[in-house]
């Protein structure tokens, strides 16, 4: 009797397991791993069918726009007040403007940047900012291939159809009296940028918009003289968490968890990430900071600074922006490398 009961119990368990496998939604949580580093080091990224589907939907590509001829009249011969894209033909400029309207324009399309009654008018701050952004995009595609390779970027990489991209940051407001009790004991509002920890809530200031170094592990047990403060260590950890969140990856995407500081034992992708950090510093200092006077009050942060970018701005939760789609080769007008 007991044996029969055990056998029946085993059959029931098998039937339940089979039913779960074929139950709608069960496979959505099936985990698979993609190796990203050297074999034998457990360097891989895990995801599920559900998270992959969400990531794919969030990185849907924009509609393609047919190429335009480089010949014919120059844009400067047909249109007034062309200041940046002066090397393009009129047809190429028309194509780029169609792209901007779709990539950045949002509900207002061309009118996001242009006065519809006078396209040459510069009264809208968005148009003046757009010129700087075009220069920045060309600079990335031409001068930052160590990071973006020949995949490159377009305006859509960051904006995803909206005038203001996700993932910009501002300097945080100074802590107020009673902040430690008002913000869960952290002394500041916790957020995704620091992994919802008690460490500095915005780890970017000074590093991604200045010359502060990214600190790493001290190798000596006894250090002569004063060294970096614990605050610099916290900022580095917070920055790493923000990068991890921005790319949707674990720390081992770049680092060996056995020895985080080691370049030789880490993932080769760490070199690409280091180039990305340096690129962000360059873009914030030389393209976004000069726009400070252009921003209206509603675009400024709590201390009056303008928006700045970091890894999330382009990647938006994916290891490669737009899952590695190579848009730049189709947009040589924006400094992309033509397909061979």
């Amino acid at each position: 009797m007991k044996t029969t009961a055990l056998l029946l119990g085993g059959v029931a368990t098998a039937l339940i397991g089979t039913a779960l496998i074929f139950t709608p939604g069960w496979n959505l949580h099936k985990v698979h791993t993609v190796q990203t580093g050297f074999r034998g080091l457990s360097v891989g990224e895990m995801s599920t069918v559900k998270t992959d589907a969400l990531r794919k939907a969030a990185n849907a590509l924009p509609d393609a726009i047919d190429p335009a001829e480089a010949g014919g009249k120059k844009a400067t011969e047909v249109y007034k007040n062309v200041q940046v894209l002066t090397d393009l033909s009129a047809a190429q400029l028309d194509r780029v403007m169609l792209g901007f309207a779709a990539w950045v324009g949002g509900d207002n399309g061309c009118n996001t940047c242009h006065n519809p009654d006078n396209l040459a008018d510069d009264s809208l701050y968005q148009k003046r900012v757009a010129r700087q952004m075009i220069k920045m995009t060309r600079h990335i595609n031409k001068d930052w291939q160590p990071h973006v390779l020949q995949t490159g970027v377009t305006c859509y990489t960051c904006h995803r159809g909206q005038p203001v991209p996700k993932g910009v940051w501002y300097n945080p407001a100074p802590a107020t009296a009673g902040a430690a009790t008002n913000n869960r004991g952290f002394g500041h509002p916790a957020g995704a940028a620091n992994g919802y920890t008690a460490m500095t809530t915005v780890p970017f200031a000074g590093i991604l918009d200045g010359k502060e170094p990214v600190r790493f592990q001290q190798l000596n047990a006894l250090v002569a003289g004063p060294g970096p403060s614990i605050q610099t260590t916290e900022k580095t950890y917070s920055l790493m968490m923000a990068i991890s969140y921005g790319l949707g990856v674990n720390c081992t995407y770049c680092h060996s968890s056995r020895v985080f500081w080691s370049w030789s034992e880490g993932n080769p992708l760490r070199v690409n990430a280091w180039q990305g950090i340096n690129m962000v510093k360059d873009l914030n200092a030389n393209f976004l900071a000069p726009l400070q006077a252009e921003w209206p009050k509603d675009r400024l942060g709590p201390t009056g600074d303008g928006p700045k970018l970091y890894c999330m701005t382009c990647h938006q939760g994916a290891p490669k922006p737009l899952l590695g789609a190579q848009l730049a080769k189709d947009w040589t007008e924006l400094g992309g490398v033509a397909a061979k």
Side-chain angles (χ1 to χ4, degrees):
M1 181 70 71
K2 184 179 292 185
T3 301
T4 302
L6 288 172
L7 288 172
L8 290 174
V11 172
T13 301
L15 289 173
I16 292 171
T18 303
L20 286 173
I21 291 174
F22 291 100
T23 297
W26 174 258
N27 283 335
L28 293 178
H29 302 285
K30 181 181 179 181
V31 176
H32 66 269
T33 303
V34 176
Q35 180 178 311
T36 58
F38 299 116
R39 290 180 296 174
L41 297 179
S42 298
V43 179
E45 293 299 313
M46 294 186 295
S47 62
T48 67
V49 174
K50 182 177 181 179
T51 58
D52 286 342
L54 291 172
R55 180 176 285 177
K56 184 177 180 180
N59 288 276
L61 297 177
D63 293 334
I65 300 176
D66 293 335
E69 292 292 334
K73 287 188 175 183
K74 287 286 188 182
T76 51
E77 298 178 67
V78 177
Y79 298 107
K80 297 178 181 179
N81 199 19
V82 178
Q83 298 184 21
V84 177
L85 300 172
T86 56
D87 55 318
L88 301 186
S89 69
Q92 287 177 313
L93 183 65
D94 288 341
R95 180 185 186 235
V96 169
M97 291 297 126
L98 285 174
F100 292 165
W103 300 338
V104 181
D107 294 334
N108 291 325
C110 302
N111 296 344
T112 298
C113 294
H114 289 280
N115 173 359
D117 298 322
N118 181 6
L119 297 180
D121 180 25
D122 281 347
S123 60
L124 293 177
Y125 83 90
Q126 291 93 331
K127 184 180 179 184
R128 301 191 298 271
V129 169
R131 287 197 179 106
Q132 186 81 335
M133 295 297 96
I134 294 168
K135 292 178 184 178
M136 185 179 76
T137 301
R138 284 184 157 190
H139 172 60
I140 294 170
N141 287 329
K142 178 183 177 183
D143 301 319
W144 278 106
Q145 289 190 22
H147 181 65
V148 301
L149 307 178
Q150 294 187 1
T151 301
V153 298
T154 67
C155 310
Y156 186 80
T157 305
C158 292
H159 284 265
R160 311 291 174 100
Q162 298 301 319
V164 181
K166 295 179 180 178
V168 296
W169 65 274
Y170 303 87
N171 291 323
T176 57
T181 56
N182 293 336
N183 294 299
R184 305 176 189 173
F186 291 164
H188 55 67
N194 70 346
Y196 296 96
T197 68
M199 293 187 287
T200 176
T201 186
V202 180
F204 315 122
I207 297 179
L208 298 186
D209 64 343
K211 296 183 179 180
E212 284 185 26
V214 178
R215 295 294 183 183
F216 58 89
Q217 180 179 338
Q218 177 58 254
L219 302 183
N220 299 318
L222 300 175
V223 182
S229 67
I230 190 65
Q231 286 81 7
T232 62
T233 303
E234 287 189 353
K235 183 177 283 190
T236 295
Y237 273 95
S238 294
L239 177 64
M240 293 298 111
M241 290 179 187
I243 293 174
S244 176
Y245 180 73
L247 273 64
V249 296
N250 196 3
C251 302
T252 53
Y253 191 73
C254 292
H255 297 273
S256 166
S257 60
R258 190 191 76 81
V259 54
F260 273 83
W261 58 267
S262 174
W263 286 88
S264 61
E265 296 187 42
N267 194 316
L269 290 169
R270 184 180 177 187
V271 177
N272 188 264
W274 176 247
Q275 293 287 359
I277 291 172
N278 289 320
M279 181 187 77
V280 168
K281 288 184 175 184
D282 170 33
L283 302 183
N284 282 328
N286 297 308
F287 291 91
L288 289 169
L291 288 172
Q292 179 63 33
E294 296 288 357
W295 302 114
K297 289 184 178 180
D298 62 351
R299 291 296 311 280
L300 300 178
T303 62
D305 61 316
K308 292 168 281 293
L309 57 83
Y310 74 111
C311 308
M312 171 65 84
T313 319
C314 282
H315 286 264
Q316 299 197 22
K320 295 181 180 179
L322 297 170
L323 303 181
Q326 297 190 9
L327 294 182
K329 66 181 175 58
D330 298 322
W331 289 93
T332 56
E333 298 95 334
L334 297 177
V337 178
K340 296 181 180 179

